[in-house]
Amino acid sequence: MIRADGHPGSAVPNGLSLQSAAPVLLFLAVNRVAGLRWAVAIATVGSIALALDRRRKGLPLGRLMPLVTGAVIARGAIGVITGSETVYFGLGIATKYLVAAVLLGSVAAGAPLAKRVLPLLMRVPQEMAAHRVFHTTMGMVTAIAGLYYTVSASFDIWLFRRSSVEGYVLVRFLANWPLSAAALVGIMAALQIRLQKIPGVPPFALLIEERLNGAPLDPESSSTTSTRNNQNPGAGAT
């Protein structure tokens, strides 16, 4: 969301952060009363219900949401069947390492995944996408995300070995806030500072606003549309 002063505002509605804590609170409460299997089952249902509620409210869930939901269901089912805290939490840790490997591998291969994700968040003009600074910035952003998942998974292992189930769930949830915030700040700073070095690129906030207003995902068509509108300001006016 863009504020009236032209700067990006919070795209997260009030109360959404508290909603994200609901599955964790459910897990802690049910685990204390009924044990791990019921806690896993209820927390999984709570996570799915939260995703459905966001969809009902028209909030963006992302193209990978069906895959993520399927993974949540599969992990919950395995946790209920095995009743093993090591298996259940180990799957989450392994998933983080897998995501980190994919992200960092894409950087090593010269095809950072941020290149595919960024057009979903902001308009990417053709002149930006073709610039060397854009490519190096995408590599930097992808590497930051990969490092975040690596650090998060490693912290999870350290914490799991030293905590009870309830302590692990609670501390991990609380620790993830500053860690994810630091990663997000690093990513946003890299994008805003480095991409503004590309000649002729509009302000960062404007690119985000244009994407929210339905700008095409393809950089070339986006650039073409922008050029046509500049050549014919009256086009589309009613």
Side-chain angles (χ1 to χ4, degrees), residues 110-197:
L113 288 180
K115 267 188 169 183
R116 297 177 177 269
V117 176
L118 190 63
L120 301 175
L121 306 176
M122 59 183 281
R123 185 175 74 84
V124 179
Q126 186 179 16
E127 59 271 21
M128 176 192 288
H131 202 280
R132 179 182 60 84
V133 171
F134 177 78
H135 181 76
T136 57
T137 302
M138 293 302 96
M140 181 183 299
V141 166
T142 306
I144 292 174
L147 180 61
Y148 159 74
Y149 281 107
T150 302
V151 172
S152 179
S154 300
F155 174 76
D156 287 353
I157 292 177
W158 177 87
L159 181 64
F160 184 75
R161 290 175 174 174
R162 290 163 174 79
S163 305
S164 64
V165 170
E166 294 176 358
Y168 171 77
V169 172
L170 181 60
V171 174
R172 182 189 62 172
F173 177 73
L174 295 176
N176 188 62
W177 278 356
L179 183 60
S180 59
L184 184 59
V185 168
I187 288 174
M188 295 300 291
L191 289 173
Q192 189 156 12
I193 294 173
R194 290 180 58 84
L195 295 184
Q196 291 302 311
K197 296 179 180 180

Side-chain angles (χ1 to χ4, degrees), residues 43-95:
T44 301
V45 172
S47 297
I48 297 172
L50 179 60
L52 294 176
D53 183 62
R54 290 178 181 179
R55 183 178 182 85
R56 181 181 60 82
K57 293 178 179 178
L59 300 176
L61 298 178
R63 295 185 173 186
L64 295 180
M65 193 60 195
L67 178 62
V68 172
T69 302
V72 169
I73 295 174
R75 181 188 174 202
I78 293 173
V80 170
I81 293 171
T82 63
S84 169
E85 60 192 51
T86 301
V87 172
Y88 177 68
F89 294 119
L91 286 173
I93 294 172
T95 300

